[in-house]
């Protein structure tokens, strides 16, 4: 192990702890120490340098194969007397002066986990060789916890614990608790629930008493804790998680009844021993210790849920959805007489109590270790899963995303909403994060249990993630790792992240100067003025701050404006000067711009091979409601799915309308609008062939143009009519051609993925529009239905769907279902 110098805090901690054990620090002392450090360099375990046995392994939870391998390696090193090579001697010497009676010789010391409840634990063999454990409080909260455990061990056992071995209380004083070791012979710790665990849990469930929630101290404790969390004035605790705890609590009725009884409170694999039976036919038993959180009035199954959650989040690092499913399945097995609704109520109460208790603890903890971030993320996922049946999934996923940003070192860009956790359904999220954090966030979104499907579109400076959620809502997130536009770096990302500030309610955003510079450059370099909403935000700042923003524009880009409103108004004449000024900024040298140009070009080229766009056609006789349906579909795709939508009438129109050669483009379009369909007088097959060849060429050439301009760029193209009119209703295009000809040539035309034929009863269509006889409407409807059935059986990669459009909402719902299946 690499030699690491002991920090002054470690030295002070050791001196204080050893002083409480009867050792004084002396330069000529006989006692020297060895130790193992935490990943952050702080001391974790300490023992006398001459110790021949790895007594400190009594603190180690060896339930995984890696932990067992480490434990065996340490034992082998001690057996071979090689511990001096692996574990260096720590600076400092100590001399025994007044040892307590329970510490006659060897010992090992665990320095504790930082936090308000921090306590050290000393393991030592007594005079008979039996191990004892002493807990030494390192703060008032830990002292209270130790006193509570001493009280639990001193009072009579509840019925559920009469067959369970517990430590014996040997000594108790303020800040000190000494107890016997409860580890049976050949006992092990198990990461999963074995028969002894289940026997204990069934005993606690059987001894529970049914009570209304309002009649329990537990219920009132949860209410007070959640209220305290909401009222915290200044805290790093995630806002979304605190709010969602309140939402979960509000959904419970105090009149509901549930079983309440004894719970260990911290029932985990590392707080109990599994002892084997004397023979294979005799079951083993469970031994418990660390009863600081024990209570005689906890909801039934509390310990089961805690075992699964702590093991799943801290050791196995499982997804919250898997932990929840496993916990609820085990609950149904252990207590089959408990109704599913009561199991779910017990689960909700566990989450409310455990998460609120943990959050209040971490609020008072100055430094957070990595496991805190694991717990926060896992708790948030578990709570969100319980809210999913009643709360919008977009809001739940957004809350998790925003809560995770501070821990990932990110900021939200261009945030203008008063409350980022309550964004409008049409608002997207732009965030700046370090590159690795951006990738991790994209993975988080893709794997989120409330996300049905997520499309990740890599670009040179960011990852765009489109999340389609299970309740048919949508969330679009741009995860930037560089603040760039094509080849230009607009702002240095590390400086933006380093200058982050927090705005209510607890969301990290860039500094005001970086926020304004990014917003202004974003719109000006794209050739547009700063939108009114952004301008209004900056105009609400104090006058001195506004002047500073204008001064920054003059200093950095050489452009002077009299007011923010003047700066917001795009001026094309100033754009070249601005572009040159940006190029002169650090990080925009020709070599770096060349490298960005290559990256930008590569990602642009790659995007051509992963098109996310789609073609959708709508057919039907006039009066079937196509225009209304298309408008609703367009609006839904743009607002709900955040897709750019292009509507094309009948054909790609790469080639102009034929009459444009005679009347000009504008005149031809005007004549097309004013003339009724199916009124053309053309009776010549030769003329029809020429006209159709022109239209057909438009389809063949136009499908490539539409792909280049729209489909490959992720746009959705809606066709108001398509080639099918040439097959079934050529008169509408003033053609007289055999149906077999136009049908056979369809094989060379692009086949859109979705094709909808809207129809209605002839009477209903005539009520809407009186442009065709009822007999023609009926005939065309039948022909379209036959055509779509034939095409659907022949072209399996496209879908041909007839829809009776008698109810607009039902029609839109059906279309939305098909589109969602294709997009996702």
């Amino acid at each position: 192990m690499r030699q690491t110098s002991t920090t002054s805090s470690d030295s002070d901690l050791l001196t204080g702890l050893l002083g409480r054990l009867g050792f004084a620090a002396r330069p000529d002392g006989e006692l020297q120490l060895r130790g193992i450090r935490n990943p952050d360099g702080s001391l974790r375990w300490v023992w006398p340098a001459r110790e021949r046995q790895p007594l400190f392994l009594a603190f180690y939870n060896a339930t995984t194969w890696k932990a067992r391998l480490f434990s065996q390696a340490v034992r082998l090193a001690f057996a071979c007397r090689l511990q001096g090579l692996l574990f260096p001697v720590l600076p400092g010497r100590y001399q025994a002066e007044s040892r307590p009676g329970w510490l006659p010789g060897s010992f090992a010391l665990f320095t504790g986990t930082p936090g308000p409840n921090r306590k050290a634990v000393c393991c030592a063999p007594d005079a008979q060789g039996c191990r004892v454990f002493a807990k030494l409080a390192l703060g008032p909260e830990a002292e209270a916890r130790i006193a509570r455990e001493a009280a639990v061990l001193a009072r009579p056992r509840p019925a559920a614990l009469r067959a369970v071995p517990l430590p014996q209380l040997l000594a108790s004083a303020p800040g000190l608790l000494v107890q016997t070791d409860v580890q049976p012979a050949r006992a092990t710790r198990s990461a999963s629930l074995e028969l002894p665990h289940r026997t204990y849990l069934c005993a606690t469930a059987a001894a529970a008493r049914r009570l209304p929630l309002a009649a329990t101290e537990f219920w009132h404790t949860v209410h007070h804790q959640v209220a305290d969390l909401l009222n915290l004035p200044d805290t790093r605790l995630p806002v979304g998680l605190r709010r969602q705890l309140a939402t979960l609590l509000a959904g419970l009725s105090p009149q509901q009844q549930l079983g309440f009884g004894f719970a260990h409170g911290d029932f985990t694999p590392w707080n109990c021993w599994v002892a084997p039976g004397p023979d294979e036919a005799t079951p083993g038993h469970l031994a418990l210790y660390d009863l600081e959180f024990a209570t005689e009035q906890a909801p039934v199954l509390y310990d089961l849920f805690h075992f699964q959650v702590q093991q799943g989040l801290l050791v196995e690092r499982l997804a919250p959805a898997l932990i929840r499913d496993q916990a609820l399945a085990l609950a149904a097995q252990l207590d089959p007489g408990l109704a599913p609704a009561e199991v779910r109520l017990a689960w909700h109460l566990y989450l409310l109590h455990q998460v609120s208790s943990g959050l209040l603890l971490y609020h008072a903890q100055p430094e957070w270790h990595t496991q805190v971030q694991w717990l926060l993320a896992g708790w948030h996922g578990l709570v969100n899963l319980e809210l999913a049946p009643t709360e919008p999934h977009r809001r739940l996923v957004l809350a998790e995303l925003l809560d995770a940003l501070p821990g990932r070192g990110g900021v939200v860009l261009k945030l203008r909403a008063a409350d980022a956790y309550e964004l409008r359904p049409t608002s997207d999220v732009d965030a700046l994060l370090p590159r690795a954090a951006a990738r991790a966030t994209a993975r988080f979104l893709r794997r989120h249990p409330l996300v049905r499907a997520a499309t990740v579109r890599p670009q040179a400076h960011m990852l765009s993630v489109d999340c389609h959620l299970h309740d048919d809502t949508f969330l679009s997130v741009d995860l930037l790792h560089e603040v760039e536009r094509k080849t230009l770096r607009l702002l240095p990302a590390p400086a933006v992240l380093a200058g982050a500030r927090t705005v209510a309610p607890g969301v990290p955003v860039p500094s005001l100067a970086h926020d304004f510079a990014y917003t202004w450059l974003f719109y000006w370099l794209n050739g547009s003025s700063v939108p009114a909403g952004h301008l209004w935000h900056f105009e609400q700042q104090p006058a001195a701050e506004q002047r500073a923003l204008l001064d920054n524009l003059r200093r950095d880009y050489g452009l002077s404006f009299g007011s923010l409103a003047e700066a917001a108004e795009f001026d094309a004449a100033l754009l070249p000067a601005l572009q040159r000024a940006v190029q002169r900024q650090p990080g925009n040298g020709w070599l770096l711009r060349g490298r960005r140009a290559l990256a930008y070009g590569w990602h642009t080229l790659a995007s051509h091979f992963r098109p996310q766009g789609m073609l959708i056609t709508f057919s039907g006789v006039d009066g079937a409601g196509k225009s209304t349906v298309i408008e609703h579909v367009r609006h839904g795709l743009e607002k709900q799915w955040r897709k750019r939508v292009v509507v094309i009438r009948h054909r790609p129109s790469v080639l102009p309308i034929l009459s444009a050669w005679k009347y000009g483009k504008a005149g031809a379009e005007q004549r097309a609008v004013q003339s009724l369909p199916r009124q053309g007088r053309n009776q010549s097959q030769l003329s029809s062939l020429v006209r159709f060849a022109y239209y057909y060429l438009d389809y063949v050439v136009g499908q490539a143009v539409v792909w280049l301009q729209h489909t490959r760029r992720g746009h959705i193209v809606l066709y108001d009519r398509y080639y099918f009119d040439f097959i079934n209703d050529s008169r509408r295009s003033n053609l007289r051609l055999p149906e077999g000809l136009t049908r056979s040539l369809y094989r060379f035309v692009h086949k859109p993925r979705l094709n909808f034929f809207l129809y209605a009863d002839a009477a209903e269509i005539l009520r809407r529009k009186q442009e065709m006889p009822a007999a023609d409407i009926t005939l065309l409807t039948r022909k379209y239905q036959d055509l779509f059935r034939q095409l659907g059986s022949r072209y399996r990669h496209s879908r041909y769907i007839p829809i009776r459009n008698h109810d607009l909402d039902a029609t839109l719902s059906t279309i939305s279902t098909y589109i969602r299946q294709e997009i996702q």
Side-chain angles (χ1 to χ4, degrees):
M1 178 174 288
R2 182 174 57 89
Q3 177 71 32
T4 307
S5 62
T6 305
T7 64
S8 59
S9 60
D10 284 337
S11 178
D12 294 342
L13 177 64
L14 274 181
T15 300
L17 288 175
L18 290 172
R20 296 170 67 176
L21 298 179
F23 295 89
R26 290 186 180 177
D28 58 346
E30 296 180 356
L31 178 67
Q32 288 185 289
L33 302 172
R34 300 186 192 275
I36 294 179
R37 297 181 180 275
N38 293 305
D40 63 1
S42 60
L43 279 175
R44 182 174 182 82
W45 298 317
V46 175
W47 64 93
R50 297 179 181 177
E51 182 63 52
R52 300 301 184 188
Q53 297 296 326
L55 194 58
F56 63 90
L57 288 180
F59 307 124
Y60 190 53
N61 176 37
T63 57
T64 65
W65 70 268
K66 288 184 179 180
R68 289 192 290 269
L69 182 62
F70 172 79
S71 180
Q72 292 302 321
V74 168
R75 295 183 191 280
L76 179 62
F78 271 80
C80 297
R81 301 292 187 264
L82 298 176
Q83 64 268 30
L85 298 177
L86 300 177
F87 310 113
V89 173
L90 301 175
R93 288 175 175 268
Y94 303 87
Q95 186 66 40
E97 292 186 343
S98 56
R99 290 192 183 195
W102 54 267
L103 185 61
S106 299
F107 68 91
L109 193 63
F110 169 54
T111 63
T113 302
N117 284 336
R118 185 175 187 177
K119 56 190 171 297
V121 183
C122 180
C123 176
D126 62 12
Q128 288 74 39
C130 299
R131 291 188 303 191
V132 299
F133 288 88
K135 296 185 178 183
L136 298 92
L138 297 177
E141 292 86 353
E143 185 174 327
R145 289 291 178 189
I146 286 178
R148 180 175 178 177
E149 182 175 10
V152 171
L153 295 177
R155 62 175 173 253
R157 298 186 182 188
L161 289 182
R162 286 173 186 164
V164 179
L166 299 179
Q168 295 182 6
L169 182 63
L170 299 178
S172 177
L176 174 68
L177 169 67
V178 184
Q179 58 188 336
T180 60
D181 183 15
V182 76
Q183 181 181 2
R186 298 183 294 119
T188 59
R189 294 186 178 102
S190 175
S192 59
L193 289 174
E194 299 184 5
L195 181 58
H197 295 100
R198 295 169 184 260
T199 301
Y200 158 75
L201 292 170
C202 288
T204 57
R209 293 176 53 228
R210 289 185 66 82
L211 294 168
L213 301 186
T216 65
E217 181 183 352
F218 184 93
W219 174 255
H220 296 289
T221 297
V222 166
H223 264 276
H224 287 308
Q225 290 180 170
V226 172
D228 289 345
L229 285 172
L230 293 178
N231 294 327
L232 289 176
D234 184 18
T235 178
R236 295 171 294 166
L237 298 179
V239 173
L241 178 55
R242 289 187 283 149
R243 289 182 177 180
Q244 285 158 1
L245 282 177
T247 302
L248 184 62
L249 180 59
L252 304 183
S253 168
Q255 305 309 316
Q256 291 175 279
Q257 292 194 357
L258 189 67
F260 283 82
F262 176 84
H264 179 281
D266 195 16
F267 186 67
T268 60
W270 49 92
N271 281 339
C272 55
W273 290 105
V274 180
D279 52 62
E280 293 185 0
T282 306
H285 66 274
L286 197 69
L288 296 176
Y289 57 96
D290 274 354
L291 285 91
E292 298 176 14
F293 296 91
T295 176
E296 294 187 16
Q297 198 184 73
V300 66
L301 301 173
Y302 189 99
D303 279 347
L304 164 66
F305 294 147
H306 193 68
F307 190 99
Q308 292 299 116
V309 169
Q310 293 295 97
Q311 175 70 14
L313 292 182
L314 296 178
V315 180
E316 298 179 26
R317 306 289 293 119
L318 300 178
L322 182 57
I323 295 173
R324 170 181 175 270
D325 292 345
Q326 290 178 349
L328 295 180
L330 285 169
Q333 295 174 14
L334 287 173
D335 197 348
L338 199 61
E342 292 189 333
V343 172
R344 186 61 58 85
L345 174 59
W347 173 245
H348 288 180
L349 290 172
Y350 165 76
L351 289 177
L352 285 165
H353 181 265
Q354 182 63 27
V355 177
S356 60
S357 301
L359 289 178
L360 289 172
L361 174 67
Y362 298 139
H363 170 67
Q365 184 171 322
E367 296 182 6
W368 288 358
H369 44 80
T370 303
Q371 287 78 3
V372 173
Q373 301 293 351
W374 293 353
L375 286 171
L376 293 179
W379 287 342
H380 208 155
L382 291 171
V383 172
N384 273 356
L385 288 171
E386 301 313 306
L387 294 176
T390 57
E391 292 293 306
H393 292 182
R394 172 185 162 89
R395 179 185 299 168
L396 298 177
V397 176
L398 177 63
E400 280 195 73
L401 174 67
L402 294 177
D403 280 356
L405 274 183
R408 290 181 171 145
V411 296
V412 179
L413 299 173
K414 297 191 296 183
L415 178 60
R416 303 296 174 253
D419 189 336
Y421 289 84
E422 298 293 340
L423 288 180
R424 294 177 301 171
T426 58
S427 296
D428 301 334
V429 177
D430 293 349
L432 175 67
L433 305 97
R435 187 185 298 267
R439 292 171 178 165
T441 304
R443 288 194 299 271
F444 155 76
L445 290 171
R446 292 186 66 179
R447 298 171 182 172
H448 197 286
L450 300 184
V451 176
R452 178 187 286 114
T455 301
V456 180
R457 291 176 282 110
Q459 300 183 44
H461 66 296
M462 70 175 181
L463 297 171
S464 293
V465 188
D466 294 335
C467 302
H468 304 275
L469 310 180
H470 280 287
D471 65 347
D472 292 336
T473 53
F474 179 81
L475 178 64
S476 179
V477 183
D478 284 343
L479 302 169
L480 287 78
H481 48 80
E482 297 290 347
V483 188
E484 297 176 352
R485 181 184 180 274
K486 295 185 178 179
T487 65
L488 293 177
R489 188 181 75 172
L490 307 185
L491 294 171
V496 176
L497 295 174
R501 58 195 171 101
T502 300
V503 296
V507 179
V509 298
S511 67
L512 186 64
H514 284 143
D515 189 5
F516 178 76
Y518 172 69
T519 304
W520 185 78
L521 287 170
F522 178 87
Y523 288 103
W524 266 60
L525 291 176
N526 280 287
S528 64
S529 299
V530 177
H534 293 291
L535 176 60
W536 181 87
H537 170 77
F538 294 111
E539 287 182 332
Q540 302 311 301
Q541 307 303 320
E545 295 284 358
Q546 296 186 42
R547 286 195 298 272
L549 297 178
L550 294 173
D551 290 342
N552 290 345
L553 294 184
R554 182 171 56 254
R555 180 197 64 206
D556 296 335
Y557 310 110
L559 300 178
S560 297
F561 301 98
S563 65
L564 291 180
E566 182 183 340
E569 193 67 29
F570 175 70
D571 187 345
L574 298 179
L575 184 58
L578 173 61
Q579 291 172 330
R580 290 192 296 271
V582 174
Q583 290 177 6
R584 290 194 295 268
Q585 297 294 315
N588 279 328
W590 67 270
L591 186 59
L592 291 173
R593 282 191 286 122
R595 188 174 68 181
R596 291 192 199 107
L598 290 175
Y600 178 78
W602 169 254
H603 281 87
T604 301
L605 179 63
S607 68
H608 293 177
F609 296 93
R610 53 173 185 270
Q612 300 296 326
M614 181 169 54
L615 267 62
I616 305 173
T617 72
F618 293 88
S619 300
V621 302
D622 292 295
K626 292 190 310 301
S627 299
T628 302
V629 169
I630 289 173
E631 180 59 26
H632 279 83
V633 171
R634 182 193 64 79
H635 184 270
L637 289 169
E638 289 179 342
K639 299 301 182 182
Q640 181 182 2
W641 301 98
R642 224 71 88 246
K643 296 287 188 179
R644 181 178 174 186
V645 180
V646 178
V647 178
I648 296 178
R649 308 292 176 183
H650 189 31
R651 60 186 180 88
S653 297
V654 174
L655 303 179
I657 301 174
L658 278 173
S659 56
W661 299 103
K662 181 176 181 181
Y663 301 105
K665 181 179 179 181
E669 291 177 350
Q670 182 66 25
R671 287 173 61 88
V673 169
Q674 293 176 350
S675 60
L676 291 175
R678 310 179 95 245
Q679 300 299 311
R681 300 187 181 92
N682 178 34
Q683 299 295 326
S684 169
Q685 283 203 342
L686 178 60
S687 172
S688 296
L689 281 172
V690 172
R691 293 170 67 90
F692 175 70
Y694 185 81
Y695 296 146
Y696 191 78
L697 180 63
D698 190 34
Y699 268 99
V700 173
V701 175
Q703 62 192 22
V705 175
V706 169
W707 182 85
L708 286 170
Q709 290 184 341
H710 302 297
T711 311
R712 71 161 182 85
R713 300 169 67 183
H715 305 165
I716 293 183
V717 178
L718 305 182
Y719 270 95
D720 183 356
R721 299 186 174 276
Y722 196 58
Y723 183 88
F724 312 120
D725 275 8
F726 291 136
I727 301 174
N728 282 340
D729 192 14
S730 60
R731 280 186 59 197
R732 200 176 193 284
S733 301
N734 200 16
L735 300 176
R736 296 292 185 274
L737 291 174
E739 184 179 311
L741 173 65
T742 53
R743 183 193 295 264
S744 63
L745 291 176
Y746 177 64
R747 72 185 62 184
F748 302 111
V749 176
H750 179 71
K751 316 300 183 296
R753 283 160 63 178
L754 289 177
N755 304 275
F756 297 103
F757 169 60
L758 304 179
Y759 67 95
D761 295 337
E764 176 64 21
I765 290 179
L766 289 173
R767 188 183 64 81
R768 299 172 185 170
K769 276 188 178 183
Q770 296 183 356
E771 296 182 355
M772 296 175 61
D776 288 357
I777 294 173
T778 303
L779 176 62
L780 283 175
T781 298
R782 181 178 56 78
K783 291 176 66 177
Y784 267 107
Q785 289 174 329
D786 291 343
L787 176 66
F788 269 45
R789 183 168 54 253
Q790 295 168 12
L791 295 179
S793 62
R794 182 172 184 180
Y795 300 105
R796 299 304 179 96
H797 295 293
S798 296
R799 306 177 81 169
Y800 299 85
I801 307 114
I803 300 176
R804 183 178 180 183
N805 185 27
H806 65 283
D807 181 274
L808 179 61
D809 290 338
T811 298
L812 294 174
S813 176
T814 301
I815 292 172
S816 177
T817 300
Y818 280 104
I819 293 176
R820 182 172 63 246
Q821 292 171 354
E822 293 295 329
I823 291 178
Q824 298 172 4

